[in-house]
Amino acid sequence: MQAIELAELAAVVAGGWQQWIVPGQQALRIAQQRYWLQARLRHDYWNGCLSTHRQNIQCSNIANRAQSWRAIAPVIEEVLVSEPLTRCLAHLGRVLAERDVASDLSAISHNVMTSHVEARHRCLHLIVFGEGLAVEHHRRLNDVRRILEGYSDNLLSLMPSVMLPDTLSFDHHAVQLAQATANPPISGLVDCHRLRLTSLRIQLRMSLARKLSSVVASTQHNRQIHEAVLAMMPPEMFDSLGVARSALFAKLAAASPESAPVEEPSAIGMTLVKEFRRVEWKARG
């Protein structure tokens, strides 16, 4: 599994944060522990690769240094690309802690983020001070860094504000301003956050096109982390096909007489739900 899929999963976390704070919908402890364990194993793998690379570029000639940089590039890219998911989960954990929701996600996600930031700093130090890195590769990795920083801050701006935001975002002033001036998540029949997240994912794919290596550094760890995060998510975030629900769809489903209503259903919402059920039953024959 490529790290960009973890970056896209971060958009799912940012778009469905409301479901995490519903009483009785806390993440499973086993999934949380699995997330921490797989993140720790991946961090150890990153540290081993980065330490070996640092020794190689100090003791090798020019040709071997170039080969060493080609080998370590996928690891550096993976550290940068997978960081938005780590930051979104840490932000969500802080939201849960500040709203007194019983969950271990705050402590676990903070620990994972601390390790991830450490690996990030080691990668950036190599990019700036490492010997033998070609100018074009230095520019490419720096572009990847800037793209992911902007993507991460945009995701955090769609989530509620927290205390000490500077420890979670890169430009916390811009994130706080976006949170303060954000449009309502749902405006009429338009899910504004859903459209924004879709646009961010498309822009991310287009921006990173031909900038990432075809080699994946740690496929197995990425898959395990992806599965652990999915296991932590409340089932209400997904429909029967496993597709993430939008906030608008969740609102309409809550208005259904077969669900526990959370607010007074609107006439338009009930009409859409009835039409959806009619089409569904007709498709079933």
Side-chain angles (χ1 to χ4, degrees), residues 56-57 59-71 131-132:
N56 290 340
I57 61 176
C59 305
S60 303
N61 53 32
I62 297 178
N64 291 336
R65 285 175 182 172
Q67 183 178 359
S68 180
W69 276 110
R70 286 193 296 268
E131 301 178 2

Side-chain angles (χ1 to χ4, degrees), residues 14-276:
W17 64 267
Q18 299 94 335
Q19 302 293 333
W20 294 68
I21 62 176
V22 177
Q25 299 295 338
Q26 291 80 18
L28 298 177
R29 178 168 296 181
I30 296 178
Q32 294 174 341
Q33 294 175 350
R34 182 182 177 189
Y35 167 66
W36 177 86
L37 176 61
Q38 294 301 326
R40 186 64 188 178
L41 293 175
R42 186 182 61 174
H43 176 71
D44 292 341
Y45 170 76
W46 286 344
N47 281 344
C49 293
L50 294 173
S51 298
T52 302
H53 171 73
R54 182 183 297 275
Q55 295 176 0
N56 290 340
I57 61 176
Q58 292 176 351
C59 305
S60 303
N61 53 32
I62 297 178
N64 291 336
R65 285 175 182 172
Q67 183 178 359
S68 180
W69 276 110
R70 286 193 296 268
I72 199 62
V75 176
I76 298 177
E77 294 169 1
E78 186 173 88
V79 173
L80 299 176
V81 176
S82 61
E83 190 172 9
L85 177 60
T86 302
R87 290 182 177 270
C88 284
L89 287 173
H91 189 104
L92 179 59
R94 189 170 298 180
V95 171
L96 296 179
E98 293 181 0
R99 302 194 181 194
D100 296 328
V101 178
S103 176
D104 296 332
L105 183 61
S106 177
I108 290 176
S109 61
H110 176 74
N111 183 273
V112 173
M113 180 176 168
T114 301
S115 300
H116 202 134
V117 171
E118 176 190 347
R120 168 190 168 84
H121 288 166
R122 295 188 63 182
C123 291
L124 297 183
H125 187 274
L126 279 176
I127 294 175
V128 176
F129 300 104
E131 301 178 2
L133 179 61
V135 176
E136 59 270 19
H137 295 305
H138 181 280
R139 184 184 300 111
R140 178 179 61 84
L141 291 174
N142 191 48
D143 289 341
V144 172
R145 175 191 62 81
R146 290 189 297 102
I147 291 170
L148 270 300
E149 287 179 0
Y151 177 76
S152 179
D153 283 351
N154 281 324
L155 293 182
L156 296 181
S157 67
L158 297 176
M159 304 177 70
S161 59
V162 295
M163 299 178 60
L164 302 176
D166 55 313
T167 59
L168 298 172
S169 57
F170 296 98
D171 188 352
H172 64 278
H173 294 295
V175 172
Q176 287 180 316
L177 179 62
Q179 291 171 339
T181 59
N183 295 324
I186 302 176
S187 178
L189 295 179
V190 178
D191 192 335
C192 302
H193 281 190
R194 181 81 167 190
L195 294 177
R196 178 74 183 280
L197 290 171
T198 301
S199 175
L200 288 175
R201 289 199 299 267
I202 294 175
Q203 292 177 8
L204 179 68
R205 285 279 183 175
M206 295 177 61
S207 300
L208 293 180
R210 299 184 180 182
K211 290 185 181 295
L212 300 179
S213 304
S214 58
V215 179
V216 182
S218 51
T219 304
Q220 186 65 22
H221 294 318
N222 291 337
R223 180 180 296 108
Q224 294 291 341
I225 290 175
H226 192 278
E227 293 176 355
V229 175
L230 287 177
M232 288 192 296
M233 292 181 177
E236 290 76 14
M237 290 181 59
F238 304 93
D239 58 19
S240 59
L241 299 178
V243 179
R245 289 178 174 178
S246 65
L248 177 60
F249 186 86
K251 181 180 179 180
L252 296 178
S256 170
E258 297 181 1
S259 303
V262 294
E263 60 182 17
E264 188 68 23
S266 63
I268 297 178
M270 289 301 298
T271 301
L272 289 176
V273 171
K274 290 179 180 179
E275 180 65 19
F276 174 79

